[in-house]
């Protein structure tokens, strides 16, 4: 048994996660390459390796002839009978090739073939490992700034946090541990290229999934999420169990669960609201903490008119329109907010048209974009 080779293969399989079969194939190919370099060609060379003992045999299939014209492909009857007394003209004889006879260049080329295969397999293993984590959150260690981008070590590979995927105001120090969302994993000749993000809305979603047991087991479901990275996020949740409060589960006892996520996001504010199939109810929840007097939602046009108390107008709209903008993205509706005074002064206004009615037609969620034009007049 070739113990040294067996031990080397065991180490490679354990540390590099490269299968032994792949390594056996690499060794076989390297020996054939060495033969080709040594003899000039290796069309008739065969290599056999015992997978259990790691003993290997390298031989050439040669035809037994009277007069040898090609010593690589043929063998004389006299020499053949020295190997096998039963050999006769026309037979194909297996002639063992001693690998120790290979020259330095042939040996070096064989070594390079094995090393190249190991590198290729190592890159492939790493790529597959991180490709499975695509669209998921991982913990990485900040290494260094590359221009305005940041190199993040994920363990067996490095990822790149581009400037466009960084939250404004966030500064990291080398060796700092941060959570990132894997956007894309590309396979390149130099190894996997991993792009990560700190601004993607799915980062917040995945953090809640890992922090909140009820979300992980499906009791609570995140229905929609809208985020302005570094500032505020709104998420709408619903419970599939009437005995479980969706918002309470996400907040946790004394806010423990949501606070751990806020800490990871460096103080980003998070609003958690109840999802409702009724668009009027959903819009009312999404605009919290503002109080709503009346709402009229049109599921067909995906628009909504909302009336709030005069003193609540600025709160409903939010700083630079943020609260209304996030509510619009969360619900998929273009929302027009007016104070009670503005609504009553509007031409053709009928207060009863704005009163919220639980029987309004239910509207399904759709990705939407908030338009600030409807708020310019109120500012």
């Amino acid at each position: 048994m070739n113990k040294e080779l067996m031990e080397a293969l065991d180490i490679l399989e354990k540390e590099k996660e490269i299968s032994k079969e792949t390594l056996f194939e690499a060794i076989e190919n390297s020996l054939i390459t060495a033969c080709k370099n040594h003899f000039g060609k290796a069309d008739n060379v065969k290599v056999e390796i015992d997978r259990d003992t790691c003993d290997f045999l390298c031989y050439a299939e040669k035809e037994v002839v009277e007069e040898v014209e090609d010593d690589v492909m043929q063998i004389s009857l006299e020499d053949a009978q020295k190997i096998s007394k039963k050999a006769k003209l026309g037979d194909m004889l297996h002639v063992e090739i001693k690998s120790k006879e290979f020259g330095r260049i042939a040996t070096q080329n064989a070594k390079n073939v094995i090393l190249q295969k190991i590198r290729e397999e190592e890159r492939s293993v790493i790529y597959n490992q991180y490709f499975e984590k695509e669209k998921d959150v991982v913990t990485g260690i900040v290494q260094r700034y590359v221009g305005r981008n940041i190199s993040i070590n994920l363990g067996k590979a490095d990822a790149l946090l581009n400037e466009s995927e960084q939250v404004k105001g966030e500064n990291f120090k080398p060796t700092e541990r941060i959570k990132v969302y894997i956007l894309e994993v590309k396979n390149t000749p130099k190894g996997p290229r991993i792009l990560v993000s700190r601004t993607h809305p799915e980062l917040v979603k995945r953090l809640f999934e890992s922090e909140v047991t009820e979300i992980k087991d499906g009791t609570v479901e995140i229905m929609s999420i809208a985020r302005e990275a570094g500032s505020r996020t709104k998420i709408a949740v619903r419970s599939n169990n009437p005995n479980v409060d969706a918002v309470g589960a996400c907040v946790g006892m004394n806010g423990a669960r949501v606070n751990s996520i806020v800490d990871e996001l460096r103080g980003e504010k998070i609003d958690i609201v109840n999802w409702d199939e009724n668009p009027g109810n959903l819009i009312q929840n999404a605009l919290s903490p503002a109080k709503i007097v009346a709402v009229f939602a049109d599921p067909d046009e995906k628009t909504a008119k909302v009336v709030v108390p005069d003193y609540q107008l600025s709160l409903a709209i939010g700083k630079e329109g943020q609260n209304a903008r996030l509510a619009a993205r969360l619900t998929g509706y273009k929302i027009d907010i007016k104070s009670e005074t503005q609504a009553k002064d509007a031409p053709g206004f009928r207060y009863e048209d704005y009163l919220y009615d639980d029987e309004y037609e239910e509207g399904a969620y759709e990705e939407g974009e908030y338009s600030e034009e409807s708020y310019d007049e109120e500012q």
Side-chain angles (χ1 to χ4, degrees), residues 232-236 269-273 286 288-289 323 326 330:
R232 183 180 291 273
T233 292
K234 283 181 181 284
I235 68 169
K269 295 179 177 63
I270 299 177
D271 297 336
I272 307 170
V273 302
S288 66
N323 192 56
L326 287 174
L330 189 74

Side-chain angles (χ1 to χ4, degrees), residues 212 220-221 237-239 241 244-251 272-274:
V212 182
V220 174
E221 192 175 355
V237 295
R238 76 173 178 188
S239 174
N241 184 337
V244 176
D245 175 23
V247 174
C250 293
V251 173
I272 307 170
V273 302
N274 281 307

Side-chain angles (χ1 to χ4, degrees), residues 153-369:
N153 181 262
L154 302 182
K156 293 185 177 181
D158 291 340
L160 193 65
L161 180 61
N162 289 324
E163 182 184 12
S164 60
E165 298 297 334
Q166 297 173 32
V167 177
K168 291 182 180 179
E170 279 192 346
N171 293 307
F172 303 109
K173 297 177 181 178
T175 72
E176 191 171 356
R177 297 175 71 86
I178 61 171
K179 292 186 183 294
V180 291
Y181 178 76
I182 297 181
L183 285 174
E184 186 180 28
V185 181
K186 295 180 179 178
N187 202 3
T188 70
K190 294 183 179 180
R193 185 169 183 265
I194 306 171
L195 301 177
V196 296
S197 173
R198 286 277 296 178
T199 62
H200 203 284
E202 286 290 313
L203 172 62
V204 181
K205 184 177 180 179
R206 299 299 184 197
L207 289 175
F208 269 100
E209 288 175 352
S210 63
E211 189 69 31
V212 182
T213 308
E214 290 81 357
I215 293 178
K216 192 180 299 183
D217 64 22
T219 304
V220 174
E221 192 175 355
I222 297 176
M223 301 301 295
S224 178
I225 185 165
R227 184 185 185 202
E228 291 191 356
S231 180
R232 183 180 291 273
T233 292
K234 283 181 181 284
I235 68 169
V237 295
R238 76 173 178 188
S239 174
N240 295 319
N241 184 337
N243 297 321
V244 176
D245 175 23
V247 174
C250 293
V251 173
M253 187 176 293
N254 298 323
R257 289 174 170 177
V258 72
N259 284 341
S260 67
I261 296 172
V262 169
D263 290 342
E264 177 60 41
L265 299 176
R266 309 296 174 96
E268 183 175 315
K269 295 179 177 63
I270 299 177
D271 297 336
I272 307 170
V273 302
N274 281 307
W275 172 268
D276 200 300
E277 294 295 338
N278 187 297
N281 253 346
L282 179 60
I283 291 167
Q284 186 173 8
N285 295 342
L287 285 169
S288 66
K291 307 291 184 183
I292 307 299
V293 173
V295 58
F296 175 80
D298 186 342
D300 296 327
E301 297 294 329
K302 289 292 178 182
T303 59
K305 297 178 180 179
V306 177
V307 179
V308 299
D310 289 0
Y311 70 93
Q312 290 275 298
L313 181 61
S314 59
L315 182 62
I317 294 174
K319 185 179 180 180
E320 297 178 351
Q322 184 186 68
N323 192 56
R325 185 164 58 248
L326 287 174
R329 290 176 183 167
L330 189 74
T331 61
Y333 279 71
K334 182 178 178 180
I335 303 173
D336 182 16
I337 302 177
K338 292 185 183 297
S339 67
E340 287 182 287
T341 301
Q342 291 171 332
K344 289 176 182 177
D345 292 342
F349 170 78
R350 292 195 311 154
Y351 194 83
E352 58 270 20
D353 289 345
Y354 285 89
L355 291 176
Y356 173 66
D357 182 357
D358 282 341
E359 299 302 320
Y360 282 143
E361 181 181 353
E362 294 183 356
Y365 169 74
E366 228 176 69
E367 187 85 26
E369 195 67 30

